[in-house]
Amino acid sequence: MATVVRSQPQRVDQPSESGQRELVTKKKANTEWHSGCRLLHSQGTSSDFERVTNFVGIIQHPDNRLQAVQAPACEACLKSEQKETTMKHLTVLLCASASALLVAAPTASAQPQSITVAWYGGNWGDAFQACVATPFTEATGIQVVADIGTSTTTLAKLQQQASAPTLDVAYMDGGISELAEEAGVLAAIDLDALPNGANLTDDAAYRNGNKVFAIGGGYYSLGLTYNTEEIGEAPTSWEALWDEDYAGAVTIPSPNNSAGIPFIFFLNQMMGGTPDDFTQTFERLKELDVASYFESSGAANNAFQSGEVVIGAHFNVGAWALIDSGLPIGFTVPSEGVWATDARLHIVEGGPNPEGAAQFLDMAMSAEAAACLAETLYLGPAVSEVELDPEVSRKLPWGQNGSVEDLMFFDWNEVNARRAELTETWNREIAR
Amino acid sequence: MTASRTALIGLIALPLAFSCAFFLVPLATVFAASVTSADGAGLTFASYARILFDEYHWSVMAVTFRLGILTTLICVVIGYPLAWYLVRIVRWRSWRRICVILLILPLFTSNIVRSFGWMVLLGRNGLVNETLESVGLIERPMRFLGTETGILIGLVYILLPFVVLTVGNALAKVDRSVEHASADLGASPASTFWHVTFPLSVPGVVSGAIIVFALAVSAYVTPALLSGGRVTVLAVLVFQQYSTVFDFHYGGALAITLLAFTLAMIGLSSLVSNRGAR
């Protein structure tokens, strides 16, 4: 049954080349939709029919908008069709035009039929699609429209659209999440109302007073990454970055990367500095002979891949992707620990489908989704009771034998408050 | 009469509306942000004061404009002979066409991809270093990435076609009979070039140089990728303020400063070239 259902939006997605493209596509869409309806009706029980109509009723327009068509329209058409079998052709046409009107009208259905989710590009977006969005659509019948962007562009979008948001759910990294909350673009998440809400570990519910404004979607860390051909044994300390043998072949994040400023906090803490005094850390950073300060995870990947960089700080997600592709790269959690953060989910304040958004978050908190993300991206689960293969477990942000307890987190409000100042210091002392 | 007037108004209104919506309005927004403070207390030039009375910003501007000027000079020096070859030397039409396609083809690819390409070529183990080592010019890999030289190579490569195209256009327009007259009057080919052809092609050189200069000083992708975060140009600083520090006031002031200096440089150079032409 599912195969019949799923084929609907895909088939109608093909735009006709004629001048009246839209009209023809609409007609075609509705004809297709009806045949789907009929098939399901003849096959399934009535309750099945009720359940799947939500799903069948979504028609993708040539302009890529998803529109909902209500079940009664479908049933009315089917009835008239049964009555007038001899005039089948005409009925289909009439039904098609009637439904075309419905399709053209704005979504007025009580049940939300599609939600828009902002997430990151590349393998991250693919993983969110496969692990959260697809199972979500299969379970609820609600389609997911992806809006791809980085955390900061998503925040900018949310601020611009504050009065009339088009997004329902937004993935944003820790740090940007707090900025979004400060900007007042996030809705409260009612964890008690969500069946999977109890799965979420307490630390992964981010609160502002009593309001839960974000939930963790999986942890990732910035650990020590190195070239195993050049460095035989895994370094045990971050001090290896200053090793003379690797001079000129080191990389660490630039402040333009979301991990840049927190990494300075991390180094500062490691070197025994206080949060008020970063002098010593900047002195040590000046001594560090780097090949580059990476702005994006992709740039770091490239640098390790080309051998431009032999050792550096890199995300477990990117490093393991390189290792899995057969490159001589190692990822390790040194004795001083690793700084970590997470990708979080947020419900957009005033978004078009708050109920659908809540259901999406519920799916993200399921053990299956968390296990899937751990297997594809090596994101550390933020929900309890996730069973993982040992091969996957060792690639998680906390390393071989660790757990979320071993990760080092900083108060993002504190980091954000110092962001401008530390970036400026970096500009003046390091990047010149 | 009225119909043509309506058409004329439509003809003017359309580009005007377009440039308003996509150029003037965003620019005004940036400018407005640059002259207000974070607390919204009203008009302030604090952001500009912060930029103009600070040695650090002058050093960033120096790097930016040094790269811009050097890119322009190198592009003109390499681009002029290339344009000359295309317009004057190539006799075979198909070959000329192929050359023009080869010249334009890279423009269809994004700057990001082309800059990434140079990252691979200029790397420690990249083709450039390997070639230099194999022919014995250097013993240890040279450092290109993270230096101004690396950025310069990338910018010249990306912006060279603009000079070749504009100069080529200007050279093609030079009336050959003027050159023949010069030769008939006893001038040597070199003398004809310097006293006749070159001055006539100067407008093309100037417009090409202005395009290259404006694009080079405002370039973001190439410096960001090839600098490895070690060399800061103004555009990178602007991006940083907008996207990671979220200080639109300071970022806006930086952007307007870059624009003002670029316009000033272009104005100055066209003034000088006009004087020269006279």
Side-chain angles (χ1 to χ4, degrees):
Chain A
M1 191 178 285
T3 47
V4 176
V5 172
R6 214 178 297 161
S7 70
Q8 297 302 314
Q10 282 167 9
R11 276 158 69 185
V12 300
D13 197 20
Q14 306 293 326
S16 155
E17 280 173 26
S18 86
Q20 293 173 305
R21 191 178 75 176
E22 203 174 346
L23 186 67
V24 172
T25 317
K26 262 180 200 164
K27 275 183 183 168
K28 193 177 155 208
N30 284 288
T31 320
E32 298 258 357
W33 177 60
H34 276 279
S35 57
C37 260
R38 254 197 322 273
L39 203 65
L40 287 163
H41 203 231
S42 60
Q43 284 178 355
T45 62
S46 64
S47 65
D48 269 336
F49 180 68
E50 289 292 334
R51 194 166 56 75
V52 295
T53 346
N54 288 334
F55 203 49
V56 182
I58 294 169
I59 289 174
Q60 187 153 19
H61 275 260
D63 62 359
N64 243 353
R65 263 180 312 130
L66 290 170
Q67 288 276 5
V69 179
Q70 283 158 314
C74 179
E75 279 176 304
C77 286
L78 285 172
K79 267 178 203 160
S80 65
E81 212 171 3
Q82 280 156 7
K83 239 187 258 172
E84 310 265 340
T85 37
T86 45
M87 294 174 74
K88 194 175 176 184
H89 188 69
L90 184 64
T91 316
V92 170
L93 261 179
L94 277 171
C95 283
S97 52
S99 303
L101 280 173
L102 265 173
V103 169
T107 317
S109 164
Q111 182 80 21
Q113 303 288 2
S114 83
I115 59 168
T116 309
V117 182
W119 63 46
Y120 326 132
N123 56 342
W124 286 79
D126 296 345
F128 291 144
Q129 175 71 49
C131 296
V132 188
T134 305
F136 166 77
T137 305
E138 274 165 12
T140 61
I142 302 173
Q143 296 284 344
V144 174
V145 181
D147 186 301
I148 291 167
T150 59
S151 296
T152 47
T153 50
T154 301
L155 172 58
K157 215 173 279 177
L158 290 176
Q159 282 174 303
Q160 280 157 9
Q161 302 182 339
S163 54
T166 59
L167 301 174
D168 294 291
V169 176
Y171 273 92
M172 284 180 282
D173 288 330
I176 308 303
S177 169
E178 278 78 5
L179 292 174
E181 169 61 8
E182 212 173 286
V185 292
L186 303 178
I189 300 164
D190 186 2
L191 282 177
D192 298 331
L194 301 174
N196 289 328
N199 291 357
L200 195 72
T201 56
D202 204 38
D203 292 337
Y206 296 94
R207 291 184 170 87
N208 181 11
N210 286 329
K211 172 191 176 187
V212 176
F213 64 89
I215 60 160
Y219 298 104
Y220 59 92
S221 67
L222 192 72
L224 201 55
T225 305
Y226 60 99
N227 187 315
T228 50
E229 275 176 4
E230 307 263 346
I231 305 172
E233 214 166 296
T236 54
S237 165
W238 283 100
E239 291 291 335
L241 292 180
W242 281 268
D243 196 320
E244 268 182 28
D245 291 348
Y246 319 136
V250 177
T251 191
I252 61 169
S254 115
N256 295 351
N257 186 282
S258 61
I261 297 296
F263 186 65
I264 298 174
F265 270 79
F266 172 76
L267 288 178
N268 194 51
Q269 185 169 320
M270 190 187 98
M271 290 167 185
T274 63
D276 306 317
D277 184 17
F278 286 83
T279 335
Q280 191 200 345
T281 305
F282 275 106
E283 284 307 314
R284 291 294 316 270
L285 280 171
K286 255 190 252 178
E287 290 165 19
L288 193 64
D289 189 358
V290 301
S292 63
Y293 300 104
F294 70 83
E295 291 205 1
S296 68
S297 182
N301 275 356
N302 269 323
F304 277 107
Q305 196 165 1
S306 65
E308 188 70 21
V309 157
V310 164
I311 192 167
H314 192 18
F315 301 105
N316 73 310
V317 177
W320 282 109
L322 290 177
I323 299 167
D324 286 351
S325 68
L327 288 161
I329 302 291
F331 178 86
T332 183
V333 174
S335 57
E336 300 97 338
V338 289
W339 168 77
T341 186
D342 58 349
R344 303 180 192 169
L345 291 101
H346 312 79
I347 297 182
V348 178
E349 175 71 40
N353 292 324
E355 277 173 37
Q359 280 172 280
F360 186 86
L361 261 64
D362 190 52
M363 177 55 78
M365 286 184 288
S366 70
E368 292 79 16
C372 174
L373 286 174
E375 280 155 16
T376 42
L377 286 183
Y378 308 116
L379 285 185
V383 298
S384 48
E385 319 262 331
V386 177
E387 294 284 328
L388 291 173
D389 192 83
E391 178 59 20
V392 173
S393 292
R394 74 185 183 94
K395 299 175 180 178
L396 294 183
W398 35 77
Q400 183 102 47
N401 299 312
S403 78
V404 70
E405 311 278 309
D406 304 306
L407 299 176
M408 214 174 280
F409 300 98
F410 292 103
D411 179 352
W412 275 110
N413 292 318
E414 200 179 309
V415 174
N416 285 337
R418 305 289 296 274
R419 195 180 279 274
E421 175 207 336
L422 290 176
T423 306
E424 174 118 13
T425 314
W426 175 285
N427 285 346
R428 284 164 192 273
E429 302 203 357
I430 313 287
R432 59 183 314 187
Chain B
M1 193 71 187
T2 31
S4 72
R5 186 172 290 174
T6 324
L8 193 69
I9 290 169
L11 217 63
I12 298 167
L14 204 68
L16 204 66
F18 186 83
S19 74
C20 268
F22 296 104
F23 179 69
L24 290 178
V25 171
L27 193 65
T29 316
V30 171
F31 182 74
S34 76
V35 292
T36 48
S37 58
D39 50 22
L43 208 64
T44 171
F45 292 96
S47 297
Y48 288 99
R50 184 176 165 192
I51 294 164
L52 297 176
F53 300 115
D54 184 345
E55 175 265 337
Y56 168 71
H57 292 99
W58 287 100
S59 74
V60 173
M61 275 187 258
V63 172
T64 311
F65 285 94
R66 184 161 61 231
L67 280 170
I69 292 166
L70 283 175
T71 305
T72 312
L73 288 176
I74 296 172
C75 279
V76 168
V77 168
I78 302 176
Y80 201 97
L82 273 176
W84 183 272
Y85 173 80
L86 265 183
V87 175
R88 291 294 170 87
I89 301 197
V90 177
R91 288 274 164 267
W92 190 28
R93 253 221 187 129
S94 313
W95 177 235
R96 180 183 296 170
R97 207 164 283 163
I98 291 168
C99 286
V100 171
I101 289 170
L102 286 175
L103 189 70
I104 296 173
L105 210 59
L107 298 179
F108 292 113
T109 321
S110 97
N111 272 358
I112 302 175
V113 176
R114 288 190 285 156
S115 302
F116 257 117
W118 277 106
M119 280 174 80
V120 176
L121 293 176
L122 294 176
R124 228 161 39 104
N125 313 323
L127 190 71
V128 173
N129 266 320
E130 272 181 7
T131 314
L132 289 177
E133 271 178 284
S134 66
V135 297
L137 272 173
I138 51 168
E139 279 174 16
R140 302 189 65 231
M142 271 179 78
R143 182 164 209 158
F144 290 112
L145 297 180
T147 65
E148 282 184 40
T149 316
I151 302 175
L152 192 62
I153 293 171
L155 284 175
V156 166
Y157 162 74
I158 280 167
L159 300 174
L160 187 61
F162 295 102
V163 169
V164 181
L165 290 174
T166 49
V167 172
N169 205 18
L171 278 176
K173 278 190 192 141
V174 171
D175 194 342
R176 299 300 283 268
S177 56
V178 186
E179 286 173 1
H180 294 315
S182 167
D184 286 348
L185 291 170
S188 68
S191 177
T192 300
F193 174 76
W194 278 116
H195 294 107
V196 179
T197 319
F198 183 71
L200 286 171
S201 69
V202 160
V205 175
V206 171
S207 55
I210 286 174
I211 294 171
V212 168
F213 178 75
L215 289 174
V217 292
S218 60
Y220 167 71
V221 168
T222 312
L225 289 175
L226 295 174
S227 76
R230 290 161 52 102
V231 181
T232 309
V233 298
L234 261 177
V236 170
L237 204 58
V238 172
F239 174 79
Q240 181 191 65
Q241 294 307 315
Y242 269 89
S243 77
T244 54
V245 182
F246 302 103
D247 188 343
F248 302 141
H249 312 284
Y250 175 48
L254 281 169
I256 298 290
T257 309
L258 174 60
L259 183 68
F261 274 86
T262 309
L263 288 178
M265 288 285 289
I266 290 170
L268 201 71
S269 68
S270 22
L271 204 72
V272 170
S273 70
N274 277 350
R275 281 270 164 77
R278 249 175 250 160

